[in-house]
């Protein structure tokens, strides 16, 4: 039976009728399969939750031990179980720690919800695996040919060069607290940067969680009223929302940077007052999206949140059956 006959889009999100569960529901539901820990995919208050161990740990860190009402069910990558008679398995998505694609199989047909994903190397998570299926569901956050993310090493080199050039300025980098923060730290370490990296309080818990999963981040220290004045020439990571707020005013001669796929758009960087835009994304760029359609090889593609029309058009031009799956409520907050 074709997935269109047992999958439907409801106000709460994508619903599997055959198994009576949702994928990344936006409102509390009885049964939820969660692809990863970003707030627009992982919400508190579901009855039963299925996700990877790392995603469940992230949900506990964000929402407390009782983020679920009945049970939480950790799934290893590649493990298959049945929910309401539908076979469900999770596979690496390469997006953030614990991120997964969800594969559903029912009545002789299969569908893969890839969630958010990328194809670049990232030491903080398991790389994306193409999973054969009849219908592949993909996001489209950066699905325009203008979005081509440069190599991460190049962007990190630009940050380190700026620190050399402006040793009197505190380099304040806006990064999303879950995923981007830890990936940037790892990339700085890989580039040989051994100094203590200072953190806004909002990053602390998730950095500790990554370390508890074996991802070493090196010397980290919270910004405090005592050490803030001494951070000239240092790197401070904060949530994008803290770049311009009162919190940053105690830092000496701040140089504002931000790491996001949207930094490709200069007007956006200027509008946000970002002096040093770093184009770094945990989402696939245009080349990664189109390559993934080929690598997965599913004859049919459904495109979710983002620039769906461009990717649907591309897929149709290249011999796939393709349509937009209009999902509201997923934000770009992970960027
Ligand atoms: Zn995400
Ligand atoms: Zn998302």
């Amino acid at each position: 039976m074709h997935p269109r006959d047992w999958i439907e889009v409801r106000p709460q999100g994508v619903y599997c009728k055959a198994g009576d569960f949702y994928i990344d529901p936006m409102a509390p539901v009885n049964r939820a399969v969660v692809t990863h820990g970003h707030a627009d995919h992982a919400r508190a208050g579901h009855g039963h939750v299925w996700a990877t161990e790392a995603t469940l740990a992230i949900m506990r860190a964000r929402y407390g031990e009782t983020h679920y009402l009945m049970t939480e069910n950790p799934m290893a990558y590649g493990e298959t179980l049945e929910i309401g008679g539908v076979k469900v398995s999770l596979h690496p998505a390469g997006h953030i720690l614990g991120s997964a694609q969800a594969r559903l199989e029912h009545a002789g047909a299969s569908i893969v919800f890839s969630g958010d994903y990328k194809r670049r190397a990232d030491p903080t998570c398991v790389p994306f695996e193409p999973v054969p299926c009849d219908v592949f569901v993909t996001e489209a956050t950066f699905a325009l040919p203008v979005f081509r993310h440069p190599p991460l090493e190049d962007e990190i080199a630009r940050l380190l060069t700026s620190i050399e050039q402006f040793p009197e300025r505190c380099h304040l980098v806006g990064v999303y607290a879950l995923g981007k923060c830890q990936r940037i730290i790892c990339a700085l370490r890989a580039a040989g940067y051994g100094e203590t990296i200072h953190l806004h309080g909002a990053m602390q818990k998730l950095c500790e969680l990554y370390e508890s999963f074996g991802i070493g981040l090196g010397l980290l220290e919270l910004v405090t009223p005592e050490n803030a004045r001494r951070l000239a020439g240092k790197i401070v990571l904060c949530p994008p929302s803290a770049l311009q707020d009162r919190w940053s005013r105690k830092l000496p001669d701040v140089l504002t940077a931000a790491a996001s796929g949207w930094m490709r758009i200069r007007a956006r960087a200027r509008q946000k007052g970002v002096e040093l835009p770093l184009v770094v994304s945990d989402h696939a760029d245009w080349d990664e999206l189109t390559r993934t359609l080929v690598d997965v090889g599913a004859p049919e593609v459904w495109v979710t949140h983002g620039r769906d029309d461009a990717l649907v058009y591309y897929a149709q031009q290249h011999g796939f059956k393709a349509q937009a799956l209009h999902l509201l409520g997923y934000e770009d907050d992970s960027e």
Side-chain angles (χ1 to χ4, degrees):
M1 205 194 309
H2 193 278
R4 84 172 79 83
D5 298 319
W6 46 276
I7 296 287
E8 64 183 39
V9 176
R10 292 188 168 186
Q12 300 95 322
V14 170
Y15 178 63
C16 175
K17 268 192 286 191
D20 184 25
F21 61 87
Y22 289 82
I23 311 276
D24 292 349
M26 287 167 261
V29 298
N30 182 35
R31 302 205 274 194
V33 173
V34 175
T35 62
H36 66 285
H38 278 144
D40 55 331
H41 298 257
R43 312 259 167 149
H46 305 310
H48 307 269
V49 181
W50 287 263
T52 62
E53 185 54 70
T55 295
L56 292 171
I58 290 165
M59 292 173 82
R60 286 195 294 269
R62 297 192 129 179
Y63 304 129
E65 291 295 323
T66 54
H67 68 85
Y68 59 97
L69 306 178
M70 306 291 283
T71 64
E72 51 169 13
N73 308 277
M75 291 176 70
Y77 289 130
E79 175 191 355
T80 302
L81 52 80
E82 293 207 355
I83 306 177
V86 173
K87 282 192 181 130
V88 180
S89 55
L90 300 181
H91 306 268
H95 176 53
I96 61 166
L97 177 69
S99 64
Q101 312 174 66
R103 180 182 186 275
L104 276 47
E105 185 183 328
H106 175 67
S110 62
I111 180 167
V112 168
F113 292 88
S114 53
D116 295 337
Y117 65 93
K118 70 172 175 294
R119 307 298 304 273
R120 310 284 172 110
D122 177 350
T124 70
C125 59
V126 182
F128 179 97
E129 263 172 34
V131 179
C133 52
D134 298 307
V135 178
F136 181 63
V137 185
T138 177
E139 55 135 329
T141 304
F142 292 117
L144 286 176
V146 63
F147 290 113
R148 291 197 156 98
H149 310 323
L152 176 58
E153 299 73 27
D154 295 4
E155 301 302 284
I156 293 296
R158 291 175 55 228
L159 174 58
L160 294 174
T161 301
S162 176
I163 291 167
E164 268 170 41
Q165 283 174 334
F166 306 105
E168 72 290 352
R169 301 191 67 184
C170 174
H171 284 60
L172 182 61
V173 187
V175 291
Y176 193 64
L178 173 57
K180 191 71 63 69
C181 170
Q182 296 78 20
R183 186 171 172 225
I184 291 284
I185 294 172
C186 285
L188 283 164
R189 300 311 187 201
Y193 187 77
E195 304 265 330
T196 299
I197 295 172
H198 289 80
L199 301 178
H200 183 283
M203 307 354 232
Q204 185 182 23
K205 231 199 297 191
L206 290 165
C207 284
E208 286 170 4
L209 188 147
Y210 268 64
E211 295 216 285
S212 77
F213 277 83
I215 293 143
L217 301 176
L219 289 171
L220 304 176
E221 206 173 291
L222 280 186
V223 175
T224 64
E226 294 73 50
N227 67 20
R229 309 243 162 246
R230 290 189 276 108
L231 298 180
K234 305 289 187 202
I235 296 175
V236 175
L237 302 181
C238 71
S241 60
L243 277 178
Q244 311 290 353
D245 75 8
R246 276 180 55 98
W247 175 85
S248 65
R249 282 182 216 155
K250 53 184 187 270
L251 299 166
D253 195 6
V254 167
L255 187 150
T256 310
S260 161
W262 299 114
M263 290 297 112
R264 173 61 82 196
I265 304 188
R266 293 281 152 167
R268 249 212 223 214
R270 267 199 304 276
Q271 175 200 351
K272 293 190 181 267
V274 173
E275 283 178 79
L276 180 64
L278 304 171
V279 184
V280 181
S281 177
D282 288 330
H283 289 265
D285 68 4
W286 175 252
D287 293 325
E288 293 170 72
L289 288 167
T290 53
R291 182 184 132 211
T292 300
L293 299 188
V294 174
D295 288 353
V296 171
E300 184 167 344
V301 178
W302 296 355
V303 182
T304 65
H305 57 302
R307 313 299 181 98
D308 48 15
D309 41 0
L311 194 57
V312 166
Y313 181 75
Y314 176 94
Q316 288 169 345
Q317 294 299 304
H318 288 77
F320 299 93
K321 214 177 151 199
Q323 68 174 80
L325 190 67
H326 295 287
L327 290 178
L328 301 174
Y330 295 103
E331 298 134 25
D332 307 321
D333 67 350
S334 56
E335 279 300 318

